[in-house]
Amino acid sequence: QSFINFLYRKFGRVFIVMPYYEGTTLCERTRLDSLKPEEALDIAIQIADGLRAAHKKGIVHCDVTTKNILVLQGRSDSAGCVKIIDFGLAATGGFDELETIGSTGGTIPYMSPEQVRGECLDPRTDIWSLGVILYEMLTGRLPFHYEHREATLYAILNLSQPNVHSLVREIPVQLSQIIEQCLQKEPGDRYQDAETLLTDLRRER
């Protein structure tokens, strides 16, 4: 607060400094082809780790999509460093008080069933979205995506997604099972926190 006051006295205005990241979105990265399981796992682990940190601070992102994942260059491995961006729809506070801002909030193919229904949200909605991202990275397609918005919403609520291993035989069964658990319709059937998901992703790697 004292530093802000100093800036205001010296320059007569308050401003915010934000970091600049040079890289590409995961959406751009996956546009041409699906990723190898090793690369997809590394990216998913970094996303889960970032979500774990946010959830511990009482923040639910509510719009985890490939467009909101930035992949930076400069690391020696193939995946690069991952940043979760655009917390514009994020909800904060006690998780039992968090509510979706309605079906207009978020990106529909990545929205959890409870988000579609306009129910209270908690970290498990971000876990669903990460499951969608992992599914997309490995198969090159979204688990629930149709030409019409209403059809996509119906599928999220009522239909089962094609099994990842059945679509791409090279994907290990255990990894397919992790995705299946992320994409359970009922929040109570999913991973209950990012920490547990992170443990399974690291074990699979």
Side-chain angles (χ1 to χ4, degrees):
Q1 185 65 42
S2 60
F3 180 63
I4 296 295
N5 290 337
F6 165 76
L7 292 176
Y8 186 76
R9 289 195 304 270
K10 186 171 181 63
F11 300 106
R13 66 184 65 182
V14 176
F15 56 90
I16 298 175
V17 177
M18 301 177 67
Y20 170 74
Y21 297 121
E22 188 169 349
T24 58
T25 65
L26 186 55
C27 179
E28 295 170 322
R29 188 80 170 265
T30 59
R31 184 170 294 160
L32 297 178
D33 199 5
S34 57
L35 303 183
K36 295 180 180 178
E38 297 81 5
E39 186 177 5
L41 261 175
D42 186 68
I43 291 174
I45 285 169
Q46 292 185 66
I47 298 171
D49 199 21
L51 291 175
R52 175 183 62 170
H55 295 163
K56 283 184 176 181
K57 294 183 179 297
I59 301 170
V60 180
H61 190 287
C62 300
D63 194 26
V64 181
T65 74
T66 54
K67 290 184 178 180
N68 289 335
I69 303 298
L70 197 61
V71 183
L72 314 183
Q73 301 305 315
R75 277 180 30 168
S76 58
D77 57 43
S78 60
C81 180
V82 170
K83 296 287 184 182
I84 305 172
I85 61 173
D86 196 356
F87 280 75
L89 295 180
T92 59
F95 290 141
D96 57 343
E97 300 172 355
L98 298 181
E99 294 188 6
T100 179
I101 61 175
S103 60
T104 57
T107 305
I108 289 176
Y110 300 86
M111 290 170 65
S112 66
E114 61 270 25
Q115 198 169 6
V116 171
R117 290 191 293 262
E119 298 173 351
C120 291
L121 302 181
D122 62 32
R124 294 172 294 185
T125 197
D126 287 344
I127 290 173
W128 167 283
S129 299
L130 177 50
V132 173
I133 288 175
L134 190 50
Y135 190 105
E136 184 180 5
M137 285 193 293
L138 291 168
T139 66
R141 56 185 280 185
L142 289 160
F144 307 104
H145 184 58
Y146 296 87
E147 181 180 356
H148 297 291
R149 174 180 182 273
E150 291 75 14
T152 300
L153 295 174
Y154 177 86
I156 290 171
L157 292 174
N158 299 290
L159 302 183
S160 298
Q161 69 281 357
N163 182 273
V164 170
H165 181 69
S166 67
L167 294 175
V168 184
R169 303 298 296 180
E170 293 77 15
I171 296 174
V173 174
Q174 293 86 347
L175 181 53
S176 179
Q177 291 172 345
I178 290 174
I179 297 172
E180 292 286 330
Q181 189 168 349
C182 288
L183 295 179
Q184 290 297 309
K185 303 292 188 187
E186 294 299 325
D189 296 331
R190 283 177 226 149
Y191 286 98
Q192 296 302 288
D193 52 66
E195 180 76 50
T196 308
L197 171 58
L198 187 58
T199 298
D200 278 1
L201 288 172
R202 284 173 170 165
R203 183 184 296 117
E204 182 60 26
R205 183 174 62 177

